[in-house]
Amino acid sequence: MKPIRSKTVLIRRKFLDSWFISRAGMNLYRGCVHDCLYCDGRSETYRVEGDFDRDAVYKENAVDVLARELDPRRRRKPFNPGYVFIGGGVSDSWQPAEKELKLTRRVLELFKIFPYPLLLLTKSSLILRDIDLLTALNAECRVTVAVSLSTVDERLSAILEPVASPPAERLEVVRKAKEAGLGAGVMLLPVVPMITDRPELLDASYTAAGEAGADFVAAGPMTLKQGRQWNHFMAGIEEHFPEAAAAYGKVYGAVPDRWGNPSSSYYEYFGPLVHEIASRHGLPRRIPARLFPDNLSEAERAMVILDQMGGLCRERGLTSTFGWAARSLSRLDVPLESPEGWKNLRMLGGVGSATERIIKEILDTGCSRSYERLLVGGNLSG
Ligand code: SF4
């Protein structure tokens, strides 16, 4: 694996997202030898040059650059990232080269000096090498470990994710992280249409995650963008699952969307199915409020909860204005807990009397009973 030098490492976004509760993250590597068949890091959208799995590179100066970027004395404005997210995107931070390079480990060491909350996502059990360090960091600032799975079926996983750790090893990461006192869960991302989305396979993933002690299981279908990702994926499908190949044109190709989302009719299948299975297992379907990073303001906490509620309603085919209210809250430029913030709340888009009550409950108690019910597959009202 070749080294590169990078001027910046931290990627900052304007808005917190409610899946990863983060507005800052990083790719310490670019490209990934895990070679997952469905990986969307291959897409031209992310501008990774060369062969995605053969020409992966690492940012050899990442520790020095990040030390500057994280240092509060070098900032004019306060830096409030929610979780700093390490993982996903265009690389896995614990891919095999990390064993010798120890780049991710050296980056984690920096968080002893700058104790921001961390959310880590990987498909590799190599992260267990760092469990001592993560346990020490968790004593200073919240650390949550998530493993991503497409299925617990070892045979399918070996085709779809040939170099990643087997699913059982990834679930062992969840178990060990929980034993170490960390937050830990499963991102069932991506569920691959026609291959890992059969009810019995999804059910097996939820069962295994529950047995491992996962705090949450967040599931979503594969995105498939036209271009390199599509070509690579379809070549693999033609080789291993030729009987499924024709269906991808209908699910993704009929009206290709820039982000590669499946068609709305696929969501009509996927949403209720996941809802039914998740409800049966009673596992939170997003990172739950008790694992939110402590650095969120009250408005941000309310915003994330409402956005999660909007997403959960959408998946069940229910209409709601929660997502709209969340976006409005994210633009509120006075503290929500101030009299002016409260007065403005009534005028925000998407905030009717029911949503206002939910926001007030979040301000008073840090959470909402409607949210907690929805999160595990229940109804909005008790
Ligand atoms: S582990 Fe993640 S980044 Fe690496 S190939 Fe698989 S999906 Fe892509």
Side-chain angles (χ1 to χ4, degrees), residues 81-288:
Y83 276 121
V84 172
F85 179 49
I86 303 182
V90 296
S91 64
D92 192 308
S93 300
W94 283 271
Q95 56 183 296
E98 169 63 18
K99 202 168 182 179
E100 287 192 8
L101 291 171
K102 298 192 174 75
L103 176 62
T104 305
R105 177 146 186 127
R106 286 183 286 129
V107 162
L108 290 174
E109 298 271 1
L110 270 182
F111 287 82
K112 286 184 187 162
I113 309 166
F114 307 113
Y116 292 105
L118 284 168
L119 175 65
L120 313 165
L121 178 68
T122 184
K123 282 189 167 77
S124 171
S125 58
L126 181 57
I127 193 173
L128 288 177
R129 175 200 65 186
D130 299 326
I131 202 81
D132 57 335
L133 178 52
L134 298 177
T135 308
L137 291 172
N138 189 47
E140 299 302 318
C141 220
R142 186 183 294 284
V143 176
T144 294
V145 173
V147 295
S148 78
L149 285 178
S150 61
T151 180
V152 285
D153 184 296
E154 303 279 347
R155 185 188 68 84
L156 290 176
S157 171
I159 297 170
L160 295 169
E161 308 149 335
V163 187
S165 298
E169 285 184 22
R170 280 178 253 169
L171 288 162
E172 192 57 21
V173 170
V174 172
R175 207 181 310 274
K176 293 256 166 66
K178 288 297 299 171
E179 281 168 17
L182 311 179
V186 170
M187 294 287 179
L188 203 51
L189 299 172
V191 174
V192 183
M194 275 74 75
I195 297 174
T196 69
D197 65 350
R198 295 204 308 272
E200 67 278 14
L201 287 179
L202 286 172
D203 192 68
S205 295
Y206 276 84
T207 301
E211 287 170 359
D215 289 307
F216 58 89
V217 178
M222 174 179 74
T223 55
L224 184 57
K225 299 180 180 70
Q226 299 288 315
R228 280 194 306 207
Q229 187 198 1
W230 173 277
N231 297 340
H232 183 83
F233 178 76
M234 288 310 295
I237 291 296
E238 296 284 1
E239 183 183 345
H240 298 286
F241 311 98
E243 66 291 350
Y248 289 96
K250 294 191 195 110
V251 174
Y252 292 95
V255 191
D257 129 325
R258 182 170 169 235
W259 297 108
N261 285 306
S263 64
S264 53
S265 56
Y266 183 74
Y267 276 107
E268 281 164 24
Y269 162 76
F270 183 80
L273 174 63
V274 168
H275 168 68
E276 188 275 312
I277 293 171
S279 311
R280 227 175 333 105
H281 288 272
L283 284 162
R285 299 176 61 191
R286 299 285 191 277
I287 295 178

Side-chain angles (χ1 to χ4, degrees), residues 31-42 52-53 88-92 95 122-124 148 160-161 164 189-190:
C32 184
V33 306
H34 283 169
D35 194 18
C36 302
L37 189 61
Y38 47 71
C39 180
D40 91 332
R42 275 195 188 83
F52 186 77
D53 50 294
V90 296
S91 64
D92 192 308
Q95 56 183 296
T122 184
K123 282 189 167 77
S124 171
S148 78
L160 295 169
E161 308 149 335
L189 299 172

